[in-house]
Amino acid sequence: MTEAAKSWFLFARSFDYLGTTLFIGGTAFIALLWPDGADTARARRLIAFGWLCGFAGTAVGLCFDAAWVAGRPPSAAFDPSALVPLFDTPFGRVWFARALLWLLALVVLADLTRRGARAARSLPWRVGAAAVALGVLRTNGMTGHVLDLPGWGQAVVFAHLLMVCLWVGGLLMLLLAVLPARDRDVLAAVLPRYSRLAMVSVGVITAAGAVLAWRLVGSVDALLHTGYGRLLLTKLALFGVLLVLGFASKTWVDRRLRVAATTRGLVVSVAAEAVLAVVVLAVAALLVTTGPGR
């Protein structure tokens, strides 16, 4: 029964990761690369879906974690006798604060929905969105394996998560909101900007990931012979494939954007990147509840 509750917690945590990536990456994409996109229904729906996944994943994950910690079946997840004691633990308090941050994010989403591009271009909205993003991302460094990292390690975790959101969230926004419109002018403006942002993000992700892997795993033997190490290797392999697909997309942008509208090749490449990125997020959720290899 305990393992069943853990499985449900992992499922909810995956939705939380997806929502975090979509909401933060999507709002950053709109604010930095495509403010006019805030007037499109596709972009607003994608960000709203991200918010829903983030809030629901956090709230439901908190409940199933309570059942898991109490050694009870998933049906006890919403039982106050299991949930209330969790708030006396660091995880419970941090994740409750995370849920409140998601409620605050609803204000950011509502203003974007109401004012569209005017909100995306305004400094108050950008500051509010950045503050919510900072809080949501920071809570990831306050629980789990990274809790024991020193100050510099916490900064590395934050940078790693932020760049993942900018890269993967932007990728999903590109696939589901920008490319379907088939607007040559929008593509010509947005694709090169996103390509440059993705290159910076990948560089930071690679460097930060290497530091965290070294700090958490500790040895090559642990990397090869522990469950955590094998999951990490799986994540790294998927990340490598993502890099290859990303390079293919960038090559297309550099060579063909000026002479052709979006093509099937670019859409397929970006779609494959997006699918693999979601799988990587699921593996990351598994890593959270697996003991480090060290």
Side-chain angles (χ1 to χ4, degrees):
M1 289 299 184
T2 300
E3 287 302 313
K6 177 183 177 181
S7 297
W8 280 104
F9 169 70
L10 288 173
F11 185 70
R13 194 69 186 268
S14 297
F15 269 89
D16 174 44
Y17 276 28
L18 176 62
T20 300
T21 303
L22 272 176
F23 184 83
I24 295 176
T27 53
F29 191 96
I30 290 296
L32 301 175
L33 307 180
W34 191 35
D36 289 337
D39 288 333
T40 66
R42 282 192 183 94
R44 292 197 303 270
R45 284 198 296 264
L46 190 60
I47 294 173
F49 180 70
W51 178 87
L52 181 62
C53 288
F55 176 71
T58 297
V60 174
L62 183 64
C63 294
F64 281 115
D65 184 68
W68 176 26
V69 170
R72 298 174 64 178
S75 58
F78 303 97
D79 186 339
S81 65
L83 187 58
V84 172
L86 188 66
F87 293 120
D88 290 329
T89 68
F91 178 89
R93 291 191 291 269
V94 169
W95 238 239
F96 180 70
R98 185 182 178 90
L100 294 180
L101 284 166
W102 278 116
L103 290 178
L104 186 60
L106 188 58
V107 178
V108 173
L109 176 61
D111 190 35
L112 185 68
T113 301
R114 182 175 64 87
R115 296 196 296 135
R118 288 189 297 119
R121 288 190 174 93
S122 68
L123 181 61
W125 183 85
R126 293 185 177 194
V127 170
V132 169
L134 173 65
V136 170
L137 292 177
R138 181 67 187 96
T139 57
N140 283 280
M142 299 172 69
T143 60
H145 308 318
V146 298
L147 181 61
D148 296 329
L149 291 176
W152 63 265
Q154 294 293 330
V156 171
V157 170
F158 181 85
H160 181 77
L161 293 173
L162 176 60
M163 293 300 112
V164 168
C165 289
L166 294 180
W167 182 30
V168 179
L171 181 68
L172 292 170
M173 182 67 73
L174 185 66
L175 174 66
L176 300 175
V178 178
L179 291 179
R182 295 179 179 272
D183 187 316
R184 183 188 291 265
D185 293 335
V186 171
L187 288 170
V190 172
L191 280 175
R193 296 174 191 168
Y194 173 72
S195 181
R196 290 191 293 270
L197 177 63
M199 286 184 63
V200 173
S201 298
V202 167
V204 175
I205 290 169
T206 303
V211 171
L212 292 174
W214 166 76
R215 181 64 175 80
L216 292 173
V217 177
S219 69
V220 174
D221 183 69
L223 182 65
L224 297 175
H225 299 104
T226 65
Y228 186 91
R230 287 189 288 270
L231 277 174
L232 183 58
L233 287 174
T234 300
K235 181 181 176 182
L236 291 175
L238 292 171
F239 180 70
V241 177
L242 273 174
L243 290 182
V244 173
L245 291 172
F247 179 76
S249 297
K250 184 181 185 302
T251 300
W252 187 97
V253 171
D254 292 341
R255 293 181 179 177
R256 304 181 188 178
L257 183 60
R258 296 179 181 177
V259 297
T262 179
T263 67
R264 181 179 178 84
L266 176 64
V267 173
V268 170
S269 178
V270 173
E273 281 186 79
V275 171
L276 279 175
V278 172
V279 174
V280 169
L281 292 177
V283 174
L286 288 173
L287 284 171
V288 171
T289 55
T290 303
R294 206 166 194 177

